């Protein structure tokens, strides 16, 4: 989904910044360990201190701006036309489609012995969640017993199922 | 025997400046509460005390000769005076060693032992892989994932050419 693409790009950007900083620190460490200089009397270094205060602030701003942009992108209003409730148990999900008549079912993972040839182990379930395409869906997620998390990685969705709390995520499949 | 040793120890360190009294030349007073000690350090070129603390008779004579003009000293006498003052020269103290070979060798040896343990574990402890790791199963799985167009933008389905029905070059 577009949001996930943004997230991937941001991750690449933040990872590059992090790699550059780590490489710089590693270089500084190695040159400190292998230097031949032995001056133990350095007291004042005003110019360098200014630089290494301002430069990290700039780097942090460069990381924070895309991050905030994506954060607000994910909270866009898109007026969902459909609501599904997803309740986590140990260790299955219960889905409720109650907008236009009641449909409630449990969704258990298929054990490896029950897999049809070519199925994905640990991912196949007996009753799947069916979503309408290109319609905004509101997903209400909660849990009956312990903390769970409901995720579709390719759509950039992850919402925790907290017992006693109803979390909401809106997406367009 | 022990008592005499203790008394001589106490006697020698009874006064804080006794090190200065006993030394044959000047001793640097340390600002922290350490007794002056000799160190061979690159960043402390002139240690607090000389290396040789108790001079033999010939060394004492040499020290007397040092008080005269230095051009009258021979090369050997200059080296002898240096060796009284310092234990190792800068070149000797900075020399490389072969310790790294020992360290790297030992580390690789233990990594090898770990590899042997893991191989034994795979042969005798672990059960067989689930059938989903068979080549045929994986092929069916991949075909199904391509039919579903999994990750079409940057992931799996983006690497498959749907027109020619083969992997993209």
């Amino acid at each position: 989904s577009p949001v996930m693409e943004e997230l991937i790009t941001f991750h690449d950007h933040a990872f590059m910044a992090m790699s550059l900083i780590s490489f710089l620190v590693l270089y500084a460490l190695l040159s400190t360990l292998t230097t031949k200089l032995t001056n133990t009397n350095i007291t004042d270094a005003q110019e360098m201190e200014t630089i290494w205060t301002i430069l990290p602030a700039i780097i942090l701003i460069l990381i924070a701006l895309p991050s905030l942009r994506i954060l607000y992108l994910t909270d866009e209003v898109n007026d969902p036309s459909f609501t599904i409730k997803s309740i986590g148990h140990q260790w299955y999900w219960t889905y409720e489609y109650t907008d236009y008549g009641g449909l409630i079912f449990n969704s258990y993972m298929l054990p490896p012995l029950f897999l049809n040839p070519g199925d994905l182990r640990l991912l196949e379930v007996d009753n799947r969640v069916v979503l309408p395409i290109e319609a905004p869906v509101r997903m209400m997620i909660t849990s009956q017993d312990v903390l769970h998390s409901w995720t579709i990685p390719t759509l950039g969705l992850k919402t925790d199922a907290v017992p006693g709390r109803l979390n909401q995520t809106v997406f367009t499949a | 025997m022990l008592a005499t040793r203790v008394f001589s120890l106490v006697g020698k360190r009874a006064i804080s400046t006794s090190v200065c009294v006993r030394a044959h030349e000047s001793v640097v007073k340390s600002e922290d509460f350490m007794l002056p000690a000799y160190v061979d350090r690159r960043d402390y070129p002139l240690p607090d005390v000389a290396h040789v603390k108790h001079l033999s008779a010939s060394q004492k004579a040499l020290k007397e000769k040092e008080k005269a003009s230095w051009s009258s000293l021979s090369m050997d006498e200059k080296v002898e005076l240096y060796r009284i003052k310092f234990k190792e020269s800068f070149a000797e103290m900075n020399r490389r060693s072969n310790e790294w070979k020992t360290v790297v060798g030992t580390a690789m040896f233990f990594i090898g032992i770990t590899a042997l343990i893991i191989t034994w574990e795979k042969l005798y402890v672990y059960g067989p892989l689930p059938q989903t790791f068979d080549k045929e199963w994986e092929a069916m799985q991949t075909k199904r994932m391509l039919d579903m167009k999994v990750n079409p933008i940057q992931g799996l389905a983006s690497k498959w050419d749907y027109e020619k029905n083969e992997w993209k070059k």
Side-chain angles (χ1 to χ4, degrees), chain A:
Chain A
S1 82
V3 166
M4 190 56 188
E5 282 180 55
E6 291 281 340
L7 281 171
I8 292 176
T9 316
F10 172 69
H11 177 263
D12 292 343
H13 165 77
F15 195 78
M16 181 55 127
M18 188 193 81
S19 305
L20 285 174
I21 295 172
S22 304
F23 195 72
L24 182 71
V25 171
L26 189 67
Y27 175 73
L29 181 69
L30 283 175
S31 53
T32 312
L33 285 176
T34 54
T35 186
K36 295 265 184 293
L37 306 164
T38 55
N39 184 358
T40 50
N41 216 7
I42 307 174
T43 46
D44 203 15
Q46 291 287 47
E47 306 82 8
M48 196 156 67
E49 295 211 354
T50 322
I51 293 179
W52 72 34
T53 310
I54 302 290
L55 196 60
I58 295 179
I59 293 175
L60 283 174
I61 293 179
L62 284 178
I63 297 178
L65 286 178
S67 172
L68 287 172
R69 182 178 142 258
I70 295 178
L71 184 65
Y72 287 118
L73 265 179
T74 52
D75 275 344
E76 258 182 358
V77 175
N78 41 8
D79 193 21
S81 47
F82 196 65
T83 303
I84 308 176
K85 295 192 233 3
S86 136
I87 303 164
H89 305 260
Q90 279 182 312
W91 298 97
Y92 59 98
W93 292 94
T94 305
Y95 295 102
E96 298 187 10
Y97 293 65
T98 43
D99 280 347
Y100 306 100
L103 170 63
I104 305 175
F105 59 91
N106 292 337
S107 172
Y108 287 81
M109 187 187 92
L110 287 183
L113 297 165
F114 285 75
L115 288 177
N116 294 320
D119 283 349
L120 304 161
R121 188 178 70 102
L122 302 181
L123 282 178
E124 295 295 337
V125 292
D126 50 3
N127 301 316
R128 297 203 188 124
V129 188
V130 184
L131 296 170
I133 321 179
E134 293 187 23
V137 171
R138 174 191 287 122
M139 200 76 187
M140 313 285 289
I141 304 174
T142 182
S143 157
Q144 282 279 51
D145 36 29
V146 295
L147 288 175
H148 298 280
S149 181
W150 194 85
T151 308
I152 303 180
T154 41
L155 293 175
L157 294 174
K158 182 179 286 187
T159 317
D160 289 335
V162 184
R165 183 184 161 91
L166 203 54
N167 280 329
Q168 169 181 298
T169 180
V170 180
F171 60 97
T172 309

Side-chain angles (χ1 to χ4, degrees), chain A residues 5 8 35-38 40 112 115-121 124 128 154, chain B residues 42-43 94 130-133 137 140-142 144-145 148 150-151 153-154:
Chain A
E5 282 180 55
I8 292 176
T35 186
K36 295 265 184 293
L37 306 164
T38 55
T40 50
L115 288 177
N116 294 320
D119 283 349
L120 304 161
R121 188 178 70 102
E124 295 295 337
R128 297 203 188 124
T154 41
Chain B
R42 221 173 68 215
D43 54 351
N94 290 340
Q131 63 185 105
T132 50
F133 282 88
W137 197 289
M140 283 193 277
Q141 218 170 276
T142 321
R144 183 155 167 254
M145 281 160 71
M148 287 200 282
V150 163
N151 293 332
I153 303 160
Q154 285 184 329

Side-chain angles (χ1 to χ4, degrees), chain B residues 98-114:
Chain B
N98 278 336
E99 190 189 3
W100 69 272
K101 295 180 191 169
T102 315
V103 171
V104 170
T106 316
M108 293 208 287
F109 175 73
F110 279 110
I111 291 175
I113 291 190
T114 312

